Amino acid sequence: MSSTPLEKKSLFSILLPYWRSQEKWGAWSLLGLLVVLLFFRTGLQVVFLIFGGELTSALAAQESDRFYQATLIFAAILIISVPFASVTDYIRAKLSLYWRTWLTRSYLGQYLSDQAFYQLRLKGDIDNPDQRIEEDVRAFTRESLKLFVIILESSFQLVGFAGLLWSISQPLMVFLLVYSVVGSAIAFFCFGRPLIRINAEQLKREADFRYDLARIRENTEAIALYRGESQELSQSWQQFGHVFKNYTHLIRWQLGLNLFQNNYRYVTYIIPGILLAPQLFAGNLEIGDITQAGAAFTLTLSALALIVLQLQQLTSLGAATQRLQQLTAVLPTNIVRSLPPHTPPPPPPPTHKT
């Protein structure tokens, strides 16, 4: 999907300001910590895979000393790896929350300044700005960081596991490269572009339906006074019909994508065994090498084929980004209320139960 110069400028105006704001030192510190944790987690995964293969080879060879040594190392790596995985997810979620807080405050400052909210309502330049500030900002910050983590971890995995796979079988590595490039091209051109457009349309229609229900709640007295229930029912049901029609279109495309992804992923389970079986039968490889190659092949494929395996998340992020680009383009100059860094929103007022 092509982008106009305005859209490109709007995209950077969403991505960059938080990382240049007063909160930049805290944000970059958390991001740096996240990178370090991902690096060590990937390194542990590589060592985990190596000794997993060693464990299998020791069993097949019936070498008890070798087996128990590999078991101890394997267990130690497992114990160390668990905290890394948990802390990494926590840091990512925390950074996402800080980014969302800052970006929400920024959009609210723009939306509620210079009567922008009133002008948008009069001109009708953009639909559902409230939904964009709430839902799209949340999706953008959460999915952007999630995608960053996936890309970075995949890069680390590519270096570690591809090296391991290359040391076992160079033809298998070459096959993997060709397979991932072809699959990524098919996924992007056949499924990526249509799904971004359909997801964006679904967000719009869901917001229109929700807005219509909110309008009924705000005008209950007038609707009851003028006996407008039947008209409101017809209008709301028509809005839901638009939601239903587009969602039916969306799940058909998702079905096609899932069929492609599953075939793309599951076929690879037998490829390492087929290509390496002659070397195993000739005595050039141990059974543990086959286990290592199979796991390394799958993980390296996941790193190389991000577009194929993460396409649904990418299209959802693309739709949210597109809607925020449109909102940024029509709002006045960026205005952020002067609040201390990482200031959370105020707590809700206490409820009084009777």
Side-chain angles (χ1 to χ4, degrees):
M1 183 175 57
S2 61
S3 300
T4 65
L6 177 59
E7 287 175 334
K8 292 180 180 178
K9 181 180 178 181
S10 299
L11 175 59
F12 284 111
S13 71
I14 302 170
L15 280 172
L16 298 182
Y18 174 65
W19 306 97
R20 297 175 175 175
S21 68
Q22 293 180 346
E23 301 183 15
K24 61 183 178 182
W25 297 116
W28 283 105
S29 298
L30 284 177
L31 189 64
L33 178 59
L34 192 60
V35 172
V36 172
L37 290 171
L38 287 171
F39 178 78
F40 280 104
R41 187 169 80 172
T42 305
L44 288 170
Q45 288 175 344
V46 174
V47 178
F48 189 84
L49 179 58
I50 292 173
F51 280 94
E54 178 71 9
L55 193 66
T56 304
S57 294
L59 280 172
Q62 298 182 356
E63 298 177 1
S64 59
D65 292 340
R66 180 184 176 189
F67 170 76
Y68 289 122
Q69 183 181 11
T71 300
L72 289 174
I73 298 174
F74 192 83
I77 297 170
L78 181 62
I79 293 172
I80 296 173
S81 300
V82 172
F84 273 95
S86 302
V87 173
T88 300
D89 292 339
Y90 172 79
I91 295 298
R92 177 177 58 83
K94 197 72 172 177
L95 182 56
S96 173
L97 178 61
Y98 286 149
W99 191 6
R100 180 191 177 187
T101 301
W102 188 93
L103 200 57
T104 300
R105 190 171 68 225
S106 174
Y107 274 113
L108 284 175
Q110 297 172 69
Y111 186 57
L112 296 174
S113 66
D114 298 330
Q115 297 187 333
F117 62 95
Y118 181 65
Q119 296 297 327
L120 290 179
R121 180 69 179 272
L122 287 180
K123 297 178 180 178
D125 291 336
I126 196 168
D127 63 274
N128 303 295
D130 52 324
Q131 185 240 10
R132 297 174 192 244
I133 294 174
E134 187 273 328
E135 185 174 340
D136 292 332
V137 167
R138 171 171 51 85
F140 176 79
T141 53
R142 183 183 60 193
E143 297 302 324
S144 293
L145 280 176
K146 185 177 179 180
L147 182 61
F148 171 78
V149 167
I150 291 173
I151 292 175
L152 187 62
E153 190 168 26
S154 296
S155 301
F156 292 152
Q157 288 176 346
L158 185 60
V159 173
F161 293 120
L164 177 62
L165 189 60
W166 182 266
S167 68
I168 297 174
S169 174
Q170 296 178 9
L172 187 59
M173 186 64 202
V174 172
F175 173 85
L176 176 61
L177 289 172
V178 175
Y179 188 76
S180 62
V181 170
V182 173
S184 298
I186 293 174
F188 178 74
F189 290 106
C190 294
F191 295 99
R193 292 182 176 183
L195 277 170
I196 289 177
R197 175 178 52 80
I198 298 170
N199 269 300
E201 183 64 22
Q202 186 66 26
L203 288 172
K204 177 182 180 301
R205 296 189 182 191
E206 295 280 5
D208 288 342
F209 179 56
R210 185 167 55 246
Y211 176 80
D212 193 68
L213 295 177
R215 183 185 54 78
I216 294 174
R217 185 181 66 244
E218 294 172 357
N219 296 277
T220 51
E221 293 184 2
I223 294 171
L225 180 63
Y226 291 101
R227 304 288 185 180
E229 294 90 343
S230 298
Q231 181 179 352
E232 295 297 335
L233 173 61
S234 176
Q235 181 173 330
S236 297
W237 191 243
Q238 185 178 19
Q239 291 283 7
F240 181 76
H242 297 322
V243 173
F244 178 86
K245 182 178 179 181
N246 193 75
Y247 192 72
T248 301
H249 191 38
L250 175 62
I251 60 177
R252 286 174 183 166
W253 275 93
Q254 288 176 338
L255 173 62
L257 174 61
N258 288 334
L259 288 172
F260 175 74
Q261 286 176 324
N262 289 331
N263 282 291
Y264 184 85
R265 184 187 297 115
Y266 294 149
V267 167
T268 61
Y269 290 163
I270 62 171
I271 291 175
I274 293 174
L275 294 180
L276 298 179
Q279 296 184 56
L280 178 66
F281 297 147
N284 297 326
L285 291 176
E286 292 184 316
I287 188 65
D289 294 326
I290 304 297
T291 304
Q292 288 180 5
F297 185 91
T298 301
L299 291 169
T300 306
L301 177 66
S302 299
L304 289 172
L306 278 176
I307 293 178
V308 177
L309 302 179
Q310 303 293 331
L311 188 60
Q312 182 57 46
Q313 288 77 10
L314 287 170
T315 54
S316 298
L317 175 60
T321 303
Q322 184 182 71
R323 289 170 58 78
L324 287 178
Q325 287 175 302
Q326 295 167 352
L327 180 61
T328 304
V330 299
L331 286 175
T333 305
N334 186 34
I335 298 174
V336 181
R337 301 305 182 192
S338 55
L339 294 175
H342 297 327
T343 301
T351 56
H352 300 283
K353 297 182 179 180
T354 56

